[in-house]
Amino acid sequence: MKKSRNDMRVVRHERLRRTLAGTSEIPRMAVFHSLSHIYVQIIDDNKGHTLVAASTLEKSVRENVKGTCNQDAARVIGKLAAERAKAKGIKSVVFDRGGHMYHGKVKALADAAREAGLKF
């Protein structure tokens, strides 16, 4: 039986996670997008804690963007996550694309986070 696109994404993500891990010095920036929303978490994998989170579910974000799952929304979320990370003293992260291909929304989010000052 043929696997769905999401099943294949999960396989790719598991393969990525074998080598990617965040520490307290350099946490992991995990990106996920559904058909409706975009989510970002900055995670310390050693402790299992989320240090920073941002998503298009937040009311302040939804008011500033036209759609909740497009490249414009991804740019806003990337910038917001980077600003929150810098406020907590996080300067560099390990980028975890979550099994998604690195183009479109994921690339827009990553570029906006880099422009806002995160290093990865």
Side-chain angles (χ1 to χ4, degrees):
M1 188 166 130
K2 186 176 178 183
K3 289 187 176 183
S4 68
R5 281 182 70 173
N6 193 52
D7 290 339
M8 293 306 297
R9 182 197 65 79
V10 170
V11 168
R12 283 190 302 273
H13 190 214
E14 288 171 353
R15 190 168 53 230
L16 281 168
R17 288 287 288 123
R18 286 186 209 133
T19 58
L20 289 179
T23 63
S24 53
E25 294 83 33
I26 304 175
R28 175 172 57 98
M29 181 177 183
V31 176
F32 176 75
H33 69 82
S34 66
L35 292 175
S36 307
H37 294 281
I38 301 170
Y39 311 84
V40 174
Q41 290 181 307
I42 297 180
I43 304 164
D44 177 0
D45 286 317
N46 291 341
K47 293 181 181 175
H49 289 170
T50 298
L51 307 172
V52 175
S55 77
T56 54
L57 290 171
E58 298 172 25
K59 191 173 184 180
S60 61
V61 173
R62 279 184 303 190
E63 292 170 351
N64 295 332
V65 294
K66 198 166 190 175
T68 56
C69 194
N70 55 26
Q71 288 190 23
D72 293 332
R75 285 185 197 98
V76 170
I77 292 298
K79 183 179 177 189
L80 180 64
E83 289 169 355
R84 289 179 180 175
K86 284 173 54 179
K88 289 228 175 174
I90 300 167
K91 295 181 179 106
S92 62
V93 294
V94 176
F95 189 69
D96 176 7
R97 59 191 170 89
H100 297 288
M101 292 173 63
Y102 186 81
H103 70 92
K105 293 174 249 193
V106 175
K107 185 177 187 309
L109 188 145
D111 290 343
R114 282 189 188 105
E115 287 172 12
L118 273 183
K119 291 186 178 160
F120 55 95

